[in-house]
């Protein structure tokens, strides 16, 4: 009985084709600029963390280098 009082569904419009993707060709200048930006991001990411010489296990230096730091020894 419910089908008698429901309106009919209109037909769906036809599907349009997908637009063409943009060209993926990048000039050498753009590649170089992207590489420079990525290198700068990596340098900034390392930051101060790379200068810390300790870890949860202690100092990460060789014993030989520790002894030679005293004025000529």
């Amino acid at each position: 009985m419910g089908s008698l009082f429901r309106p009919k569904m209109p037909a769906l419009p036809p599907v349009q084709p997908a637009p063409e993707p943009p060209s993926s060709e990048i000039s050498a200048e753009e590649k170089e600029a992207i590489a420079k930006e990525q290198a700068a991001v990596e340098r900034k990411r390392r930051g101060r963390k790379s200068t810390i010489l300790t870890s949860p296990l202690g100092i990460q230096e060789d014993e030989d280098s520790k002894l030679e730091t005293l004025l000529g020894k």
Side-chain angles (χ1 to χ4, degrees):
M1 257 302 275
S3 64
L4 292 176
F5 299 109
R6 286 190 191 163
K8 298 279 186 187
M9 293 291 292
L12 296 174
V15 177
Q16 296 181 357
E20 293 182 22
S23 63
S24 63
E25 296 198 20
I26 299 174
S27 68
E29 294 172 353
E30 290 176 346
K31 287 181 184 179
E32 189 175 314
I34 291 170
K36 284 182 182 179
E37 287 177 18
Q38 289 177 346
V41 167
E42 287 298 318
R43 272 193 312 272
K44 290 178 183 179
R45 185 178 295 167
R46 287 186 211 126
R48 212 174 91 174
K49 184 178 180 182
S50 66
T51 63
I52 298 174
L53 298 175
T54 59
S55 72
L57 301 176
I59 297 177
Q60 299 176 348
E61 294 180 351
D62 296 334
E63 289 190 30
D64 296 335
S65 63
K66 284 191 231 177
L67 298 175
E68 295 179 5
T69 58
L70 299 174
L71 297 175
K73 289 187 178 184

